[in-house]
Amino acid sequence: MEENAYDIEVHTEVKKLEFMAGGGKFKLPVCIKNRSSRDLIDAEATYLSYHVYSLDGGKDEWDQKRYSINICKGEEKTVAIESTAPEKKGSYIFKLDIVKEGSEWYSDSGVKFPHIAVKVCDDGSALMSDLYEQIEAQKLEEEHWKHILHSGEYDFFHPYCKVDPYGRSPLTAVLLFHTTVEMSVSIHVPGKTKMACVDAVFSDYTLDHMIPVYGLYADKTNVVKMQGCDRDGNIVENQIEIITQKITHGFEDISLLAYAEDENLLAPGFNFCYTGLEEKGMKMAYDVNGDIRWYFTDTSFEVPANYVSSSSIWMSRQVLDALNAVESFVLELNYMGRIQSVYYLPYGIHHDIQFTLRNTMLILGSRKDVKYDKLVEVDLETGNIINVIDYKKMLQRTRNVSVVYSNADWLHANSVIEHDEDFIVSGNTQSTIVKHNRNGQIKWMLADPVGYGLYWKRFLLKPVGRNFEYPYNQHAVEVLPNTKGNRDIVDILLFDNGYSRNKCRGWDEKNHPSYSRMVHYQIDEKKMTVRQVWEYGKERPELFSKWRGDADLQNNGNVIGVFNVRQETKIDGKNYTEHCVAVEVNKSKKVLWECYGFSMTGRNSYQNYRIERRDIYDAKESNILLDYEVKIRLGNITEQAE
C-alpha cells in the first residue's frame, strides 16, 4: 500500500441542515483536497458519498447515492452532493465518506470526514416535496437569467424579455440587459386613460439591469417605454413591445363594468382584491376602467384576503392533520410569482395576515375541532411562534346572537391589527370588536350588550352622540391615523355587514330592512365611550351584504369599499345569484367611482372579499436580486400546538 494513500482532506462550510418536512431537497458543496498517491476518479470506481445516522432510535442508512469526484493526485475540487432529507421527522447526522466501490470506505482507514447535523421537523409530504421542487426550479431559472445577463447579447436597446417569468403571473414580465455605463432606469406602461397608466423608477445606478414590468394589458402588444439616465444626466430612450396572451384560469369569466365621474377626484392605483368566482378564491388587480392588469394563476395556493405589503403578496398552502386541524405553509411572493420566504404555521390561516412594529406577523387560525378562534404571533426573523391567544379563554363562547352561530365557529375571527402594542380583533359571529394586550387582558369591547354577562359588560364601550348604531358581523377593521394627537382617542373604520342586526335587536325584516355600511367610529379609551363619526351604505339597502366586504381610507380622504350582494332566487333551480359592487365615495358621501362585478358563467356567482387601492410598484423600486435566497424560517414547529 502506498505510504500516503489516504492523505485526503474533505471539508464543507455547512454545519447543519434543517427541513420543514422529510423528503426536502438539498445541495451540499464539499471541498476535497487530494494529497494522496491515488487518483480519485470514476475509472478507479472511487466516489464521494455519505452515511445517515438517526439520533432518535431510527434505522441508520449506510449506503447513499455516489457522486463523481474525478480528482487526480495533487488536485483540489469542490463537488456538490444533491439529495433529499430523510422522510421521517427526527434528528440525524450526515457523515461524509469516500468509497472505492466493492473494496473499501476511506473512513475505515482513519480518514476524518465532516459531520452535518440534520433536523427534519415533520414527516415528509407531497406538498413539501412540491414546494422544494418549485424553489429549485426558481433557482435554475434565475441561473439561466444570469447567463443571459452576462452574455453580452442584450443591451438597453435590445433587452431580453420574458413574459410571466415564474409561470404564475401572466401580466408581468422581466427585462434583462447590460449597459456600458451605470444608469438608472424608468419605465412607462401606457393605459387607456391617465389613471390607468403605470410608471416606475429604478433609481439605483448600475450596469446590470433586471427590471420587473407590471400592469400589462392581456391579449395585447403592450408598447412599454423605457428611459435610462447616467450619472452625468445623459438620457437614452427605447420602446419594447411585450405581447401577452388572453386572460385564463377563470378570470376570463369575470365582467367588470366601471363608472367614474372624474378620474382626477379618485385615489390613485389599481384595485387589488381577493375575488371569488363560483366559490373559488383568486387574487387580481384591475384598473379604474375595470380592466384586469394583474392576476395570479397558481391554484395550489390558498389566498389570505388582505394585501399586507406594497411589494409582495402572501399566500398559504393548507394541509390537514389527523385531528382535522389545518396546518399551513405561509409564503411570500413578489408580483411576478417568485417565492421570497416560507414560514410554517400549525394553526392554519383564516383570512388575514398583518405585520407589527416588532417585526412579527399576526395570523388568525384554528386548532383541533374549533375553528377561527386563535391569534398566533410569529417572529419574522426566526419563524418562531412567540405568542398564541385562545379566545375561548377570553370571550363568552356561549353567547348566541348571530344568524350564523355554530359551536365550532362561535367567534369567526376575521381581522386583526396592532395598536399601541395591543391587538384589535374582529369576531364576526359575536359581532364584537375587542382590544386586548399580548397577555390576553381585555382593554375594551365594541359590541351590542345583548347576551353579554356581567364579567364582559364592564369592558363594553358606552355609545355617545347622535345616530349611533352597533356593527354586526363586521369585517376588515382598520385603525385610522391619529389626527388629533390625543393618545386616548382611537379611530377605526370597518365594514358593518348588518346580517344579525334584526336578530340581535329583536326586529322583524318587514319593518326593518337589512343594510350594510362602511362605518367610522371614534373611541375614547380613557372615558370608555364610542361615537359614530361617519357612515355610508345605509341609504342604499340594495347593497346589503350578508358576508364579506371591506372599507379602506385613502390618502386623499376618500373611502373605498366593496359590497357583496346575494339575491335569493329559484330561477333555473339555483338558490341565489351574487354580484359585487366596489364603490369610492368622499366624506360627503358622493359616489366618485363605482364598479359592478358579475360572473359570465351559468352559476351566476361572483364576489370580492377585500379591495385595496394601491400602486403596483413601490415608491422606490429596485432591480430584481438574482442572488436573493429564499428565506425559509422553520421556527419552533416541533413544539406541540394546542
Side-chain angles (χ1 to χ4, degrees), residues 395-402 405 409-412 427-433 446-448 452 471 473-474:
L395 299 175
Q396 187 177 339
R397 181 183 177 188
T398 55
R399 178 176 179 259
N400 181 1
V401 296
S402 177
Y405 178 89
D409 192 8
W410 66 276
L411 179 64
H412 201 89
N428 176 284
T429 308
Q430 293 298 321
S431 296
T432 297
I433 300 150
L446 172 56
D448 190 318
Y452 268 119
N473 301 109
Q474 71 288 327

Side-chain angles (χ1 to χ4, degrees), residues 350-351 364 372-373 391 395 399 401-402 404 409-416 424-436 446-447 452 471-477 494 497 500:
H350 186 235
H351 292 334
L364 296 166
Y372 316 141
D373 65 351
Y391 288 105
L395 299 175
R399 178 176 179 259
V401 296
S402 177
V404 292
D409 192 8
W410 66 276
L411 179 64
H412 201 89
N414 61 14
S415 71
V416 58
I424 298 176
V425 174
S426 165
N428 176 284
T429 308
Q430 293 298 321
S431 296
T432 297
I433 300 150
V434 57
K435 181 177 181 180
H436 61 84
L446 172 56
Y452 268 119
Y472 300 90
N473 301 109
Q474 71 288 327
H475 284 84
V477 177
L494 57 86
N497 295 77
S500 298

Side-chain angles (χ1 to χ4, degrees), residues 522-552:
Q522 187 173 86
I523 297 165
D524 189 320
E525 295 187 312
K526 186 175 183 180
K527 296 179 180 179
M528 289 290 287
T529 60
V530 57
R531 182 188 307 272
Q532 183 174 300
V533 178
W534 179 89
E535 68 173 3
Y536 176 82
K538 185 176 181 179
E539 60 273 61
R540 297 185 65 182
E542 75 276 10
L543 298 182
F544 171 58
S545 303
K546 286 185 176 180
W547 35 66
R548 303 180 177 89
D550 197 8
D552 284 315

Side-chain angles (χ1 to χ4, degrees), residues 418-461:
E418 184 186 43
H419 179 253
D420 286 345
E421 298 189 355
D422 296 326
F423 302 135
I424 298 176
V425 174
S426 165
N428 176 284
T429 308
Q430 293 298 321
S431 296
T432 297
I433 300 150
V434 57
K435 181 177 181 180
H436 61 84
N437 65 16
R438 279 180 159 80
N439 295 322
Q441 296 171 322
I442 298 174
K443 298 291 187 73
W444 52 254
M445 295 163 57
L446 172 56
D448 190 318
V450 171
Y452 268 119
L454 290 177
Y455 176 88
W456 292 276
K457 282 186 176 179
R458 58 188 170 144
F459 300 114
L460 291 171
L461 298 170

